[in-house]
Amino acid sequence: MRAEKRTATKKKKRTGLKIFLWSVLGIFLILGGIVGYAVFQTKSTMDTIHTPVAGAANPVKLDGNTPFSVLILGVDEREGDVGRSDTTMVATVNGTTNKAQMLSIPRDTRTEIIGHDSTNKINAAYAYGGVKMAEDTVTNFLNDIPINYYIKMNMEGLKDLVDAVGGVEVYNDMDISLKDKEFKKGNVKLNGTDALAYTRIRKTDARGDFGRQMRQQEVIQAVVEKIATTQTLWNFDEILSAVGKNMQTDLTMTDITRITKNYLSARKNVENMTVAGDGGKVDGIWYYNVSDAERQKLHDSLAKNLELK
């Protein structure tokens, strides 16, 4: 694993996005799959984070034969601030072909905000109308690709989760800093406070938001790996508490169990998808502009994996 982290930046860009869904889902799957330990506590946490979306009516059977989609939102919610979705991804999973797709939509993508009667950056949808408006806006942007489920992670709460697992170690591919915190190139050990700063850095990284998103994914993946080790059983209650406070989903414990049983092998065959576009200013505001042809191309690819007619 460490050797892989030292591979070229280009390879990290190509593989980083596709692990995010399985990183976040992995937290649920591992918590739900620890046999004989804290079963009732785990179910209680899943009940706590289970937050259905009013008006949503797109669940599927999760029987392995029916493909499904998931909207993943990484939201930077701070005290007194609803926040915008810094990470917006759509995953499709097909249990018959054992194929998953991972589409990352740039946060600055200019699009119609459904339910708000405005055109703005796509990450504004969550700030204006929560998960429901984010789902509707993403569905519209992708020319009516349905969203079956969502997972939302509060990046502010990442501090609690990192501390709960006893800190994490990641490989930092460049010297970066945020205010008084500096992170040198190489392996770095992070506590919760450091991890939060590390995942917020943007200005000192030439890749901007993309670099920040990569660091968020690296830290989440490191957390998943720590949760998977037996040593975390001793602080299982702290982990459950951190998950309960900082994540929401409309997936139930039963849903997670079915995904584990019927779809998990799709994680080995993930197609990473990007959105082609051009940056530019509209009325003095910088946007990422995506053509109608590109939106249709994305729709067609996702629809094929979802087996939509």
Side-chain angles (χ1 to χ4, degrees):
M1 178 62 71
R2 184 167 295 178
E4 292 178 357
K5 289 181 179 179
R6 290 189 172 93
T7 55
T9 299
K10 183 176 180 180
K11 183 176 180 181
K12 290 183 68 177
K13 289 182 179 181
R14 186 170 63 248
T15 60
L17 290 175
K18 69 183 182 182
I19 67 171
F20 186 78
L21 171 65
W22 299 112
S23 299
V24 177
L25 263 181
I27 294 173
F28 298 129
L29 297 175
I30 292 168
L31 294 181
I34 296 178
V35 180
Y37 183 84
V39 175
F40 294 106
Q41 290 93 323
T42 303
K43 184 180 184 304
S44 176
T45 297
M46 291 302 300
D47 290 342
T48 299
I49 66 178
H50 180 241
T51 309
V53 177
N58 294 314
V60 300
K61 293 181 179 179
L62 296 176
D63 56 3
N65 297 317
T66 308
F68 69 95
S69 63
V70 183
L71 174 67
I72 304 105
L73 299 172
V75 180
D76 195 6
E77 291 179 313
R78 311 183 190 190
E79 187 174 354
D81 180 18
V82 174
R84 293 192 174 199
S85 51
D86 283 341
T87 300
T88 300
M89 295 184 179
V90 175
T92 68
V93 186
N94 189 310
T96 302
T97 61
N98 286 326
K99 177 181 178 179
Q101 294 172 308
M102 179 63 60
L103 171 66
S104 178
I105 305 175
R107 52 175 277 170
D108 294 325
T109 298
R110 190 171 188 265
T111 190
E112 180 183 359
I113 306 299
I114 303 302
H116 192 260
D117 193 27
S118 66
T119 298
N120 206 324
K121 297 181 179 182
I122 199 166
N123 68 343
Y126 177 80
Y128 291 151
V131 173
K132 181 63 167 62
M133 190 170 290
E135 285 189 354
D136 291 344
T137 297
V138 169
T139 291
N140 180 72
F141 174 75
L142 296 173
N143 292 344
D144 295 328
I145 289 294
I147 300 298
N148 300 127
Y149 303 99
Y150 82 92
I151 298 172
K152 187 193 80 169
M153 181 172 184
N154 180 11
M155 302 311 294
E156 174 78 12
L158 192 62
K159 173 182 178 297
D160 298 333
L161 199 53
V162 171
D163 282 336
V165 300
V168 296
E169 182 174 327
V170 299
Y171 180 76
N172 179 32
D173 61 0
M174 64 172 64
D175 291 344
I176 49 177
S177 63
L178 179 68
K179 296 181 179 179
D180 60 337
K181 290 190 177 294
E182 295 184 358
F183 302 95
K184 298 295 184 181
K185 181 178 180 179
N187 293 324
V188 293
K189 294 182 179 180
L190 305 170
N191 60 25
T193 300
D194 290 339
L196 192 59
Y198 183 75
T199 58
R200 281 181 171 165
I201 295 172
R202 180 181 59 174
K203 293 183 179 179
T204 58
D205 186 338
R207 297 165 298 190
D209 286 326
F210 186 85
R212 176 170 62 174
Q213 190 177 68
M214 285 177 60
R215 284 186 291 278
Q216 291 174 351
Q217 294 157 2
E218 289 168 351
V219 171
I220 292 170
Q221 180 70 4
V223 169
V224 171
E225 292 173 358
K226 287 292 289 287
I227 292 176
T229 63
T230 56
Q231 67 187 37
T232 58
L233 293 177
W234 298 107
N235 51 335
F236 197 74
D237 290 342
E238 288 82 357
I239 294 172
L240 289 175
S241 176
V243 170
K245 289 189 297 183
N246 299 305
M247 292 186 184
Q248 289 183 353
T249 181
D250 52 359
L251 288 162
T252 65
M253 187 72 173
T254 299
D255 294 333
I256 294 297
T257 302
R258 289 174 177 168
I259 290 173
T260 305
K261 178 182 177 181
N262 300 321
Y263 298 89
L264 198 57
S265 59
R267 76 189 189 280
K268 299 177 182 178
N269 182 24
V270 183
E271 176 190 3
N272 180 35
M273 301 172 61
T274 58
V275 180
D278 297 299
K281 288 188 176 182
V282 178
D283 296 330
I285 300 174
W286 195 92
Y287 293 97
Y288 189 71
N289 300 301
V290 181
S291 68
D292 290 341
E294 173 67 8
R295 291 170 56 195
Q296 187 61 43
K297 179 181 176 182
L298 295 171
H299 165 91
D300 293 345
S301 180
L302 296 171
K304 182 177 179 180
N305 203 44
L306 289 173
E307 298 180 5
L308 299 177
K309 296 180 179 179

